[in-house]
Amino acid sequence: MVDLFLDRVLVENNWDQDEHNTEREMIGLLENRILLLFFASAECRKCQEFVPVLNDFFKRLKDPAYIEYPKLLALIYISLDQSEEQQERVLKEMHKKVLFLAFEDPYRRELQAMFKVKDVPTVVVLRPDGSVLSPNAVQDICRYGSDCFCNWQESAELVERTFMLNEDYDNLPPFRSATDPVRRLKYKTEDDKRKTNWWNLWGKGKDGNKEEEEEDGTWDAKKKEGNKGIWRRR
């Protein structure tokens, strides 16, 4: 689904109208999400009636004021308006997290032909892989509200990891990179070496101590004999 908007500019419907056009930004906005393409026009009476319904639907799934964990959902307004002023009129009624294509972008009409949109309003629902989940979900949104997202999520086999409990995270194995063994060996400190030596000595136990004592005794005996030999030479 990210490929659908690569090399395109998506604008966020906030005060600054932030533009997103890099592959990294597209992945952050669209990857692993259910995508809604909202085709509409300000001159359409049905569109005017549906916009508040869709706006409320989106807020209840994305706005932290309504839900603790925002859903994996993205909404893009594909304007079929005759002027930029009409497009702005629709966007003023929509949530600030809604994305849209600039009015001068001809890709709007390409998407209309791609998804065979003939009537407005139309909400095309796409799975994360880009396949069509619903060619027009306007009636479902009006009838079921935000509850229809559960059906989309189940059909798309979309997993929300934000609902994992804290203990689930605690039981996860620690993350280690592929270069972790090399890095640990490279940056091994003297303290680590001392700890290793201490562990080896502790593992030997009493036998290890006896061996050390015997070695010490042998060394002392050799030392004494060596001293005697020196005195004899003198």
Side-chain angles (χ1 to χ4, degrees), residues 1-2 4 30-36 124-134 151-158:
M1 184 168 59
V2 175
L4 192 63
L30 305 178
E31 190 177 46
N32 193 39
R33 282 170 170 76
I34 290 175
L35 177 61
L36 306 184
V124 179
V125 184
L126 301 178
R127 296 183 180 91
D129 62 3
S131 60
V132 177
L133 183 59
S134 174
N151 297 330
W152 299 341
Q153 182 180 11
E154 184 178 353
S155 178
E157 298 181 353
L158 188 66

Side-chain angles (χ1 to χ4, degrees), residues 205-219:
K206 295 181 180 180
D207 295 336
N209 294 335
K210 288 181 180 179
E211 291 177 359
E212 290 181 359
E213 290 175 0
E214 291 175 359
E215 291 178 357
D216 293 341
T218 303
W219 171 255

Side-chain angles (χ1 to χ4, degrees), residues 40-88:
S41 171
E43 291 183 339
C44 170
R45 183 180 57 82
K46 291 183 179 179
C47 295
Q48 295 174 6
E49 295 174 353
F50 179 67
V51 165
V53 177
L54 179 62
N55 194 42
D56 183 70
F57 166 86
F58 187 73
K59 285 195 300 184
R60 292 185 180 277
L61 292 170
K62 293 293 290 184
D63 198 323
Y66 290 88
I67 188 170
E68 185 175 1
Y69 298 104
K71 300 294 185 179
L72 297 175
L73 178 71
L75 174 60
I76 301 178
Y77 175 52
I78 311 298
S79 169
L80 301 182
D81 295 298
Q82 300 301 317
S83 67
E84 189 171 2
E85 289 74 18
Q86 291 178 350
Q87 176 176 297
E88 289 297 327

Side-chain angles (χ1 to χ4, degrees), residues 5-231:
F5 289 94
L6 280 181
D7 302 323
R8 299 291 172 180
V9 178
L10 287 177
V11 186
E12 195 167 349
N13 189 35
N14 55 20
W15 180 263
D16 297 324
Q17 293 198 340
D18 298 322
E19 295 184 354
H20 307 279
N21 56 7
T22 66
E23 182 176 357
R24 182 177 182 180
E25 288 175 325
M26 293 301 172
I27 290 174
L29 291 171
L30 305 178
E31 190 177 46
N32 193 39
R33 282 170 170 76
I34 290 175
L35 177 61
L36 306 184
L37 301 180
F38 176 42
F39 295 85
S41 171
E43 291 183 339
C44 170
R45 183 180 57 82
K46 291 183 179 179
C47 295
Q48 295 174 6
E49 295 174 353
F50 179 67
V51 165
V53 177
L54 179 62
N55 194 42
D56 183 70
F57 166 86
F58 187 73
K59 285 195 300 184
R60 292 185 180 277
L61 292 170
K62 293 293 290 184
D63 198 323
Y66 290 88
I67 188 170
E68 185 175 1
Y69 298 104
K71 300 294 185 179
L72 297 175
L73 178 71
L75 174 60
I76 301 178
Y77 175 52
I78 311 298
S79 169
L80 301 182
D81 295 298
Q82 300 301 317
S83 67
E84 189 171 2
E85 289 74 18
Q86 291 178 350
Q87 176 176 297
E88 289 297 327
R89 236 164 53 208
V90 176
L91 290 171
K92 284 181 180 179
E93 301 298 324
M94 304 197 71
H95 196 275
K96 301 306 179 184
K97 289 292 183 180
V98 171
L99 303 168
F100 65 93
L101 291 167
F103 180 78
E104 61 273 10
D105 193 339
Y107 195 52
R108 298 182 296 115
R109 297 296 177 177
E110 293 181 32
L111 289 172
Q112 181 185 12
M114 186 185 305
F115 295 103
K116 301 177 181 179
V117 176
K118 297 180 180 179
D119 300 322
V120 289
T122 293
V123 177
V124 179
V125 184
L126 301 178
R127 296 183 180 91
D129 62 3
S131 60
V132 177
L133 183 59
S134 174
N136 192 357
V138 170
Q139 291 185 359
D140 290 341
I141 293 173
C142 292
R143 184 178 303 176
Y144 303 112
S146 58
D147 291 338
C148 63
F149 179 83
C150 298
N151 297 330
W152 299 341
Q153 182 180 11
E154 184 178 353
S155 178
E157 298 181 353
L158 188 66
V159 179
E160 294 196 53
R161 296 178 177 85
T162 52
F163 289 97
M164 290 180 66
L165 300 176
N166 292 332
E167 52 266 25
D168 294 333
Y169 283 104
D170 294 337
N171 294 330
L172 291 176
F175 172 78
R176 291 182 180 177
S177 64
T179 59
D180 185 65
V182 178
R183 179 178 55 79
R184 291 164 66 88
L185 181 62
K186 180 179 179 181
Y187 296 104
K188 190 172 184 180
T189 62
E190 292 298 327
D191 291 338
D192 295 331
K193 294 178 182 178
R194 283 196 291 270
K195 289 179 181 178
T196 302
N197 294 335
W198 177 85
W199 175 260
N200 292 334
L201 291 174
W202 183 84
K204 290 180 181 180
K206 295 181 180 180
D207 295 336
N209 294 335
K210 288 181 180 179
E211 291 177 359
E212 290 181 359
E213 290 175 0
E214 291 175 359
E215 291 178 357
D216 293 341
T218 303
W219 171 255
D220 293 339
K222 290 181 179 179
K223 188 176 180 181
K224 289 179 180 179
E225 292 178 357
N227 292 338
K228 289 180 181 178
I230 294 173
W231 284 109

